[in-house]
Amino acid sequence: YGEPSLTIDKIDSKTQVNQKAINKKEYYLITNPNEIDDWIKEAEEIGEVAVDTETSSLDPHQADLIGVSLSSKIGKACYIPIGHNSKKCINKDLVLKKLKPLLEDPSIKKIGQNIKFDFIVLFKHGIIISPMEDTMLMSYVLDAGKNRHNMDTLSEIHLNHKTISFKDLVGTGKKEINFREVDIEKAKDYAAEDADITLRLYKEFSKSLKDEKMNKIYEIFEKPMIKILANMEIEGIKIDNNFLKILSSKFSKKIEKIQKEVFKISKKEFNIASPKQLGEILYNDLKISDLKKTKKGSFATSASVLEDLAFKGHEFPKLILDWRQVSKLKNTYSDALPEHINPETKRVHTSFLLAATTTGRLASSDPNLQNIPIKTEDGKDIRKAFIAEKDNVLISADYNQIEMRILADLADVQELKKAFTNEQDIHSLTASQIFNIDIKKVNQDQRRKAKAINFGIIYGISQYGLAKQINVSNYEAEDFLNAYFAKFPEIKVYMDQTIKFCRKSGYVSNIFGRRSHFLNINDKNYNVRNFQERAAINAPIQGSASEIMRLAMTRLNKKLAEKKNQKTKMLLQIHDELIFETSKEEAKKMSKIIIDEMTSVTDSDQHSFSIPLTVDLNMGDNWGSLD
């Protein structure tokens, strides 16, 4: 258990590793507590040990510990059963008492695959693993964008070995059993293999990480996050369950109202959630558009298709999009969040994913808190359900226009750098440049359009995409983009050079040296190639922003640890925003510390950043009130 599901393309076949062949001859089941001493002694002599926990659940906060596996020598590993339905299990308290000194010994490296999971599981039992190495993160630093970073994939790529499948062990669907019910001998083979493979991968990746730049990324930007994020997950955040019930009721009424409007246009009721039924109404009954089908031959009813039709002025697809948006908020958040409330802590504990994006940006799951819409009132309402404990407040610290600042720095855009240094409104400046008017005469509509271009550029927006976003013709959008590049030629040079470099090298780097690979940038398929080009333009910008955030979190974590009896906790990291919880009496003092640390994060030897960073800070009793 414990590896996040990732969504990165294909397996890259690498050179085979010259390691001892993998077999199970030296995989041992420990049934006598005294045998553990020999494995501890071996780990102490060698100075490193691969550790893996087996649990009853994928949720580390509610999982029971079923067993622990160890390996300090390649090809040799053991499994200590603790919570199986078997008489061969050893007393849990006795095992943990023996393992605690080893797992906390600062002189012995503890190696894991997604070790954050194991850290949280063992933390609940009074053990704080230290120091930690993580093969998932080592792979991520070396190969982001090339392949997934879960153990099964890494074993096939780097060791040419297919691991025992977890599904083969526990089954699927109705026949799925809990790990505690797995035959203890089979569990031994599976768990010991995990520890052995982890150790082998560590040895392999350690060679590659001798490269100074790659090693810096791993040591400075990845490793410190393991414990920081684990502590944030352990802390969790309080949710107002009653407020969510009210919100669900409100969303239900809203969905009902939209449905009535939809059925009024369609002149009959149908299942809006069914692509087949929706397609029949869209193309056959209303004939809003010429028939569009997917590659599989079904009706095309994706968001992009509906957005195109809505952009052309059709009310029906706009209503469908609204229906989907409200339904998603209800199903994903107002209905589902209460299910994530931990019965013991009464708080929600999201899981932060460190290796799930190509750029270094964090993701989150169970529940995913990164995708709550920011701009809509409904999205803000969801945020209001996240609250502070009594006598506490939440603090939101949000980097102001950080990606635009990074673009200005990366591309050396003189006009933008000057504007940021002089604390000018960047969108008004852009509007004055592309509309060729005095900055004082820029109106709200012109600023809105300039803002869409500024943020769109970061994501490689096309003229058609911009036209849709600001509701103008393709020709007008093209004129805006041409005017933009004429006023900021350095940005066009940056974009062209980035794509050229990526086509040749297969990767791009951010300002700190992290690489993001784009293996399909030379694909013959235009859509695939175009998507990769836009992602390649964005990766150094988004990746640099996420790196700055990681540095800020590391500095703030250290600062909080220095303060005795302080009540401030870092709870969430959402893109460019950090959420803290603190006591009302500490709030003012903490606000200053947070701003100081976040704004001075680039005053280091990591990168000489040419533009000042600014932070918007707000406090209140719920997340929704912090905008």
Side-chain angles (χ1 to χ4, degrees):
Y1 273 119
E3 291 181 30
S5 58
L6 306 173
T7 52
I8 301 172
D9 335 319
K10 59 184 183 182
I11 293 176
D12 177 28
S13 57
K14 295 225 169 167
T15 52
Q16 242 173 272
V17 181
N18 185 20
Q19 286 194 359
K20 189 176 174 184
I22 296 171
N23 61 52
K24 300 176 182 62
K25 282 182 187 173
E26 287 194 89
Y27 288 178
Y28 300 94
L29 182 71
I30 306 296
T31 53
N32 182 337
N34 296 329
E35 293 173 41
I36 300 172
D37 299 339
D38 294 333
W39 291 85
I40 291 171
K41 190 181 175 186
E42 186 171 85
E44 287 170 345
E45 285 169 0
I46 293 169
E48 59 189 33
V49 59
V51 183
D52 189 48
T53 56
E54 301 304 335
T55 60
S56 62
S57 164
L58 278 169
D59 179 356
H61 306 283
Q62 299 192 61
D64 292 327
L65 186 60
I66 306 300
V68 180
S69 54
L70 305 170
S71 175
S72 290
K73 285 183 180 175
I74 283 176
K76 182 184 175 188
C78 72
Y79 180 57
I80 308 164
I82 293 169
H84 286 271
N85 297 340
S86 167
K87 289 177 182 175
K88 289 184 178 179
C89 284
I90 308 175
N91 178 273
K92 181 166 76 173
D93 293 337
L94 181 60
V95 170
L96 293 176
K97 189 179 177 183
K98 281 180 176 287
L99 290 179
K100 183 177 166 76
L102 170 70
L103 296 175
E104 293 185 345
D105 189 329
S107 67
I108 300 164
K109 287 179 185 174
K110 268 63 70 173
I111 304 154
Q113 165 73 18
N114 189 21
I115 201 167
K116 176 163 67 70
F117 181 91
D118 309 284
F119 179 94
I120 294 168
V121 169
L122 291 167
F123 181 87
K124 289 195 306 171
H125 293 89
I127 294 173
I128 299 172
I129 308 178
S130 181
M132 294 178 278
E133 303 285 343
D134 195 323
T135 50
M136 179 183 78
L137 299 183
M138 294 170 103
S139 169
Y140 183 51
V141 167
L142 294 165
D143 295 325
K146 280 188 179 180
N147 50 257
R148 291 159 57 108
H149 308 284
N150 61 313
M151 183 185 287
D152 295 348
T153 300
L154 297 181
S155 179
E156 284 197 51
I157 293 172
H158 298 279
L159 308 175
N160 198 31
H161 172 74
K162 189 167 175 56
T163 53
I164 300 165
S165 161
F166 182 74
K167 285 180 180 176
D168 288 346
L169 213 61
V170 299
T172 55
K174 290 180 180 177
K175 292 183 179 178
E176 184 175 345
I177 59 171
N178 193 284
F179 198 84
R180 69 173 80 249
E181 300 168 73
V182 172
D183 174 80
I184 209 157
E185 284 294 329
K186 287 181 180 177
K188 177 260 291 180
D189 287 346
Y190 171 81
E193 182 187 64
D194 275 1
D196 182 22
I197 295 294
T198 298
L199 185 64
R200 289 169 187 262
L201 290 170
Y202 174 71
K203 299 286 189 190
E204 186 58 26
F205 294 148
S206 294
K207 295 175 202 167
S208 304
L209 282 173
K210 281 179 181 166
D211 176 274
E212 193 182 338
K213 267 190 179 179
M214 295 295 102
N215 191 52
K216 184 185 86 169
I217 298 295
Y218 176 62
E219 292 290 338
I220 294 171
F221 296 101
E222 291 296 342
K223 265 171 58 173
M225 298 307 294
I226 301 169
K227 194 171 179 182
I228 291 170
L229 293 175
N231 286 332
M232 286 164 66
E233 290 179 28
I234 290 163
E235 193 64 35
I237 188 166
K238 193 172 183 181
I239 294 279
D240 186 338
N241 203 355
N242 290 329
F243 181 79
L244 285 172
K245 284 176 186 171
I246 294 164
L247 212 49
S248 276
S249 174
K250 179 188 162 185
F251 287 156
S252 290
K253 287 171 187 169
K254 204 166 183 178
I255 290 164
E256 212 174 294
K257 189 185 173 195
I258 296 169
Q259 275 181 186
K260 281 179 183 173
E261 291 177 49
V262 167
F263 297 153
K264 195 175 175 182
I265 296 172
S266 64
K267 293 187 170 58
K268 64 178 176 185
E269 293 190 10
F270 66 98
N271 180 1
I272 300 175
S274 162
K276 186 175 184 294
Q277 291 184 38
L278 175 60
E280 283 170 359
I281 300 286
L282 200 62
Y283 298 113
N284 297 341
D285 295 4
L286 299 178
K287 294 184 170 56
I288 284 173
S289 164
D290 292 336
L291 183 60
K292 289 179 185 173
K293 291 201 169 185
T294 63
K295 284 179 183 175
K296 292 182 179 176
S298 52
F299 290 117
T301 58
S302 67
S304 59
V305 169
L306 295 176
E307 281 165 6
D308 284 349
L309 296 174
F311 173 59
K312 288 169 184 171
H314 298 291
E315 180 67 13
F316 183 79
K318 185 184 176 300
L319 287 168
I320 300 297
L321 288 167
D322 290 345
W323 183 90
R324 284 182 181 177
Q325 172 76 355
V326 182
S327 298
K328 187 179 178 182
L329 286 175
K330 183 178 185 293
N331 297 335
T332 312
Y333 296 109
S334 62
D335 286 355
L337 277 173
E339 294 169 22
H340 289 284
I341 296 172
N342 185 300
E344 286 180 34
T345 65
K346 309 297 183 199
R347 291 164 81 90
V348 165
H349 305 265
T350 187
S351 178
F352 289 102
L353 311 183
L354 269 161
T357 67
T358 309
T359 61
R361 177 176 265 192
L362 296 178
S364 82
S365 68
D366 304 314
N368 179 357
L369 302 182
Q370 304 272 357
N371 288 350
I372 303 171
I374 299 169
K375 293 174 185 174
T376 66
E377 282 305 313
D378 290 338
K380 285 178 183 174
D381 278 347
I382 296 287
R383 280 171 155 74
K384 286 175 187 170
F386 294 79
I387 59 171
E389 295 283 356
K390 193 185 173 198
D391 299 324
N392 281 2
V393 289
L394 296 181
I395 296 176
S396 160
D398 196 346
Y399 275 119
N400 180 276
Q401 297 175 342
I402 190 168
E403 293 190 349
M404 280 301 298
R405 291 169 194 268
I406 288 163
L407 174 60
D409 182 69
L410 262 176
D412 197 22
V413 188
Q414 295 304 315
E415 286 282 354
L416 293 182
K417 285 168 83 168
K418 196 164 48 174
F420 279 124
T421 304
N422 296 334
E423 297 184 0
Q424 275 183 293
D425 178 66
I426 210 73
H427 305 311
S428 294
L429 170 80
T430 302
S432 77
Q433 294 281 350
I434 60 175
F435 293 111
N436 212 15
I437 55 173
D438 188 287
I439 194 166
K440 292 172 186 171
K441 292 181 180 176
V442 170
N443 63 37
Q444 281 304 307
D445 185 56
Q446 288 165 331
R447 187 184 181 278
R448 181 183 64 84
K449 286 171 179 171
K451 186 177 179 180
I453 297 170
N454 275 334
F455 288 124
I457 289 293
I458 293 166
Y459 293 93
I461 199 166
S462 65
Q463 64 182 65
Y464 185 67
L466 179 63
K468 265 204 303 184
Q469 205 167 323
I470 61 175
N471 201 18
V472 297
S473 70
N474 282 348
Y475 299 111
E476 285 177 282
E478 187 178 18
D479 286 343
F480 287 150
L481 288 174
N482 288 339
Y484 187 90
F485 291 130
K487 292 294 182 182
F488 307 118
E490 303 99 327
I491 294 176
K492 187 77 172 82
V493 170
Y494 159 76
M495 292 166 78
D496 292 343
Q497 285 181 346
T498 302
I499 291 170
K500 186 180 176 183
F501 179 86
C502 195
R503 279 188 184 138
K504 185 181 174 185
S505 310
Y507 70 87
V508 292
S509 300
N510 69 26
I511 59 178
F512 298 95
R514 184 193 292 270
R515 291 180 179 180
S516 299
H517 296 85
F518 296 95
L519 304 182
N520 300 317
I521 195 154
N522 294 310
D523 201 281
K524 288 175 183 175
N525 182 308
Y526 170 78
N527 289 333
V528 172
R529 191 173 68 248
N530 183 255
F531 177 80
Q532 291 260 298
E533 285 175 358
R534 286 187 284 118
I537 289 166
N538 174 249
I541 303 166
Q542 190 185 102
S544 299
S546 70
E547 237 72 287
I548 287 170
M549 178 58 85
R550 285 169 184 246
L551 287 174
M553 291 170 76
T554 305
R555 286 172 67 136
L556 281 162
N557 184 66
K558 190 179 174 188
K559 203 80 178 172
L560 293 177
E562 286 169 3
K563 295 175 69 60
K564 288 181 181 176
N565 303 321
Q566 63 81 28
K567 298 168 187 173
T568 305
K569 305 284 185 184
M570 192 158 34
L571 304 186
L572 298 177
Q573 192 272 312
I574 311 290
H575 305 316
D576 304 325
E577 178 185 17
L578 284 173
I579 305 290
F580 302 82
E581 184 170 6
T582 189
S583 62
K584 284 177 180 174
E585 62 266 24
E586 270 196 5
K588 198 173 178 183
K589 182 175 66 179
M590 284 314 306
S591 296
K592 187 180 183 311
I593 290 170
I594 291 164
I595 289 175
D596 287 348
E597 292 300 318
M598 288 179 74
T599 53
S600 61
V601 78
T602 48
D603 301 341
S604 68
D605 57 359
Q606 300 310 325
H607 176 78
S608 53
F609 201 61
S610 61
I611 296 167
L613 293 174
T614 61
V615 170
D616 295 327
L617 189 135
N618 294 289
M619 63 178 79
D621 56 8
N622 69 73
W623 187 14
S625 68
L626 304 182
D627 295 332

